[in-house]
Amino acid sequence: MRHPILIALAGTLVLSACAKNGDAEVQRALQDLNVVDETNLNDVMLTVGDPDEAVRYFAGANANDPGRVDLMRGLAKSLVRAGRATEAITAWNNVIAHPQSNSDDRVNLADAQIRANQWDAAATTLNAIPPTHETFDRYKLEAMVADSKKQWEKADSFYQTAAGLTTTPAGVINNWGFSKLTRGDYAGAERLFNDALRQDSTMFTAKNNLVLARGAQRRYDLPVIPMTQVERAQLLYTMALTAIKQNDLTIGKGLLTEAIDTHPQHFEEAARSLRALEA
């Protein structure tokens, strides 16, 4: 026969154990929730938060929890977003010294070095990355470094590779076109700007660059591309300045007048240029 007291005691012990297990599970769940909340906050700070606020947040997080590579990366990325490239270089070097660093960290270091106009250092950083690390960001930077050294064949190869490694290549194709523009290959640049606009018809930078490439060939008619009325006025203004730079003053004056007439508001920059030309 079982004794009621023993049965009750056993039940109490079981309930106590269950309670302790339950408390432990609750604590683990809360810890997991805190990690999720922190991860979400980190993501917000890195994308939509104010850059300077993000720097303060990650600097504080690193001070409170030193040695966490994700927080170190967050600080480095935030410094880049805040336009503090020199400080970002130091931060990325700290990340690279961490045992959990990877090749993407070196790519980000090279990006910060380029932003700080440290082209030779960026080249050294990129050369230290294994050739098997084939990413869009890596080849985009390789192309920019090759451009800086006027290694045109290498630049073209890197731009082409980078464009093939992304589903949104308009930006890098536009950069490639601008590289051709600076070399004086205006027809090649025009083809690339048109290609960029086929990928993203809203990219005004590519539209403006396309007008520059056509103007450099003394083709002063606007290309047939989608544009708003304001964009049309701005592109006419760009074309006018290109014509004036090439001493085609009559054409430039006509384009300035058209730009002023086209713009839905007062176009002060074009009006000022026209007054200067007439004076």
Side-chain angles (χ1 to χ4, degrees):
M1 177 179 177
R2 297 181 180 179
H3 296 284
I5 294 176
L6 293 177
I7 294 172
L9 180 58
T12 301
L13 291 173
V14 170
L15 289 173
S16 177
C18 289
K20 289 180 179 179
N21 290 337
D23 288 343
E25 290 177 3
V26 168
Q27 290 301 319
R28 282 196 297 272
L30 288 174
Q31 289 173 356
D32 292 342
L33 184 60
N34 288 337
V35 169
V36 171
D37 286 345
E38 181 188 4
T39 300
N40 289 340
L41 181 57
N42 291 350
D43 290 342
V44 168
M45 285 294 180
L46 285 172
T47 53
V48 298
D50 176 76
D52 291 320
E53 183 181 346
V55 170
R56 290 190 292 271
Y57 166 78
F58 281 108
N62 273 282
N64 292 330
D65 197 357
R68 273 184 51 181
V69 71
D70 60 325
L71 297 178
M72 295 167 68
R73 287 188 183 112
L75 177 59
K77 291 177 181 178
S78 298
L79 286 166
V80 170
R81 285 186 64 225
R84 295 157 64 174
T86 303
E87 294 171 76
I89 291 170
T90 301
W92 279 120
N93 276 317
N94 291 335
V95 173
I96 288 170
H98 195 283
Q100 295 178 13
S101 67
N102 55 44
S103 293
D104 282 330
D105 297 324
R106 291 187 181 276
V107 172
N108 283 315
L109 170 60
D111 175 78
Q113 289 167 330
I114 288 173
R115 292 171 187 270
N117 207 32
Q118 298 181 12
W119 293 93
D120 290 339
T124 300
T125 299
L126 290 169
N127 287 338
I129 300 172
T132 52
H133 186 72
E134 299 181 310
T135 66
F136 166 75
D137 288 329
R138 191 253 176 94
Y139 284 113
K140 178 185 69 174
L141 298 180
E142 293 275 18
M144 294 169 67
V145 169
D147 262 344
S148 72
K149 296 181 177 182
K150 298 184 178 181
Q151 298 172 336
W152 307 132
E153 289 186 8
K154 287 181 67 174
D156 288 342
S157 176
F158 286 135
Y159 277 124
Q160 186 172 23
T161 301
L165 290 173
T166 177
T167 57
T168 54
V172 72
I173 294 173
N174 176 68
N175 290 350
W176 188 3
F178 191 78
S179 171
K180 293 273 192 180
L181 191 63
T182 59
R183 305 176 207 175
D185 182 1
Y186 304 129
E190 183 179 356
R191 285 192 296 271
L192 286 166
F193 294 136
N194 274 315
D195 192 11
L197 289 170
R198 279 192 290 272
Q199 300 290 335
D200 181 1
S201 62
T202 66
M203 183 181 288
F204 180 74
T205 303
K207 296 176 186 180
N208 202 59
N209 287 339
L210 175 58
V211 166
L212 287 172
R214 290 170 65 88
Q217 300 171 77
R218 284 189 158 85
R219 294 167 58 197
Y220 296 127
D221 57 317
L222 288 184
V224 182
I225 54 174
M227 65 183 80
T228 66
Q229 188 175 352
V230 171
E231 286 179 334
R232 181 178 179 84
Q234 291 171 330
L235 294 176
L236 285 166
Y237 178 57
T238 296
M239 189 73 83
L241 296 182
T242 305
I244 293 166
K245 184 178 180 181
Q246 297 180 138
N247 210 35
D248 293 331
L249 303 182
T250 301
I251 293 174
K253 182 178 178 181
L255 289 167
L256 285 173
T257 302
E258 188 177 354
I260 294 167
D261 292 341
T262 299
H263 203 290
Q265 286 89 36
H266 176 61
F267 197 169
E268 176 57 31
E269 293 89 346
R272 186 165 56 244
S273 297
L274 182 59
R275 287 195 299 271
L277 187 62
E278 289 175 336

